[in-house]
Amino acid sequence: MRKGADRSGAIYRALRHAIIEQALEPGAKLPEDAIGERFGASRTIVRHVLGQLAAEGLVETRRNHGAKVATPSWDEARDLFDVRQGLEGLVMARLAGRLEPGQIRRLNAHVDEEERARGHDEPLSIRLATEFHMLLAEMTGSPVLTRYISENASRCGLTLALYSRPHSSECAVSEHRSIITALAKGDAARATALMNEHLEAVAGRALIVPRPARERDFKSILGRYADSVGRNGGKAKR
């Protein structure tokens, strides 16, 4: 039973990474048989994983139509960013002046990873930028904030895949460093203002005209993520 749960969790994380990194774009079909074949998993496990992703708003499922990566509307996109500002403002208020030295080091190490990925691995850069916000939420110790920000940030990523100009990793890195500095100094007002400016800059890069879909082979896309599951023995990193 434990082995099955580990396998399910690893496949969930792999597919989630593929969606956040925009390897699987909004609207992409997610056939159960192809996923099961690529990851060496039963349809029962695949359905469970797709159900988890659907609960987070990353996947849409329709009876007799299978699953596909969610496609948020433009109106929904603006609401997502408005909600996100409110949630992340709570995180700034809770963390300002309360971060431990080890947490500050961890945040800086994460941004160092973003710096290394910049210009070399765009999909990883996109995911790391999203996970920075999830890491801040985790540091509040609130499961509620962690869950809502994780889901909201991932959904925002889908809207950016549909409507935005290319991801600006240079902006993300510098803005993230400024936020860490303000939090370390205990300046909640400054940290909140910087976070709002950062999120507005991200939302401001959005375009109303959707990007044209790319022609890509589903199984080859999953190959990279299936290999990562195998290398980690069913315990892929988040």
Side-chain angles (χ1 to χ4, degrees):
M1 185 71 178
R2 182 70 258 169
K3 184 177 180 181
D6 287 345
R7 190 73 180 166
S8 175
I11 295 170
Y12 157 79
R13 286 185 289 272
L15 286 177
R16 194 169 186 276
H17 284 178
I19 293 170
I20 292 175
E21 292 179 5
Q22 300 175 13
L24 292 173
E25 297 183 317
K29 292 183 179 179
L30 301 169
E32 293 176 2
D33 53 350
I35 295 172
E37 179 184 340
R38 205 68 184 85
F39 288 98
S42 68
R43 292 187 73 143
T44 299
I45 288 178
V46 173
R47 282 175 188 159
H48 175 69
V49 168
L50 292 175
Q52 283 183 285
L53 293 168
E56 292 183 18
L58 295 179
V59 166
E60 296 171 355
T61 58
R62 290 178 60 193
R63 189 175 181 82
N64 300 323
H65 287 82
K68 65 179 182 178
V69 178
T71 307
S73 68
W74 173 249
D75 289 338
E76 183 182 0
R78 183 64 261 181
D79 287 343
L80 283 167
F81 276 100
D82 287 343
V83 170
R84 188 172 178 182
Q85 282 195 1
L87 289 171
E88 302 227 28
L90 285 174
V91 171
M92 297 298 96
R94 293 198 182 185
L95 293 183
R98 296 182 179 89
L99 286 174
E100 309 232 347
Q103 291 177 312
I104 294 172
R105 286 194 296 272
R106 189 178 171 197
L107 287 168
N108 281 318
H110 185 94
V111 179
D112 288 343
E113 281 191 71
E114 293 183 56
E115 185 85 57
R116 287 191 290 272
R118 188 176 70 184
H120 302 288
D121 190 335
E122 192 66 10
L124 178 60
S125 178
I126 290 169
R127 174 160 63 84
L128 289 172
T130 300
E131 290 180 346
F132 173 79
H133 296 267
M134 298 177 188
L135 181 57
L136 285 170
E138 287 174 8
M139 288 182 176
T140 67
S142 167
V144 173
L145 276 176
T146 300
R147 176 185 172 186
Y148 286 154
I149 285 180
S150 176
E151 293 179 6
N152 182 283
S154 298
R155 291 281 288 172
C156 285
L158 289 178
T159 69
L160 294 174
L162 276 171
Y163 304 111
S164 76
R165 300 179 180 91
H167 167 69
S168 176
S169 54
E170 184 172 357
C171 291
V173 170
S174 62
E175 290 162 5
H176 288 175
R177 290 201 189 281
S178 296
I179 289 167
I180 295 170
T181 298
L183 289 173
K185 290 180 177 178
D187 192 340
R190 175 67 174 157
T192 301
L194 286 169
M195 179 61 80
N196 286 341
E197 289 170 12
H198 171 54
L199 294 176
E200 279 295 338
V202 173
R205 286 194 289 270
L207 300 174
I208 294 178
V209 180
R211 295 180 185 177
R214 292 180 289 177
E215 292 292 331
R216 304 180 67 183
D217 179 70
F218 181 73
K219 288 188 178 180
S220 66
I221 291 171
L222 287 187
R224 169 185 173 188
Y225 298 92
D227 291 344
S228 72
V229 169
R231 285 195 303 271
N232 288 281
K235 296 183 180 180
K237 288 177 66 180
R238 176 176 174 177

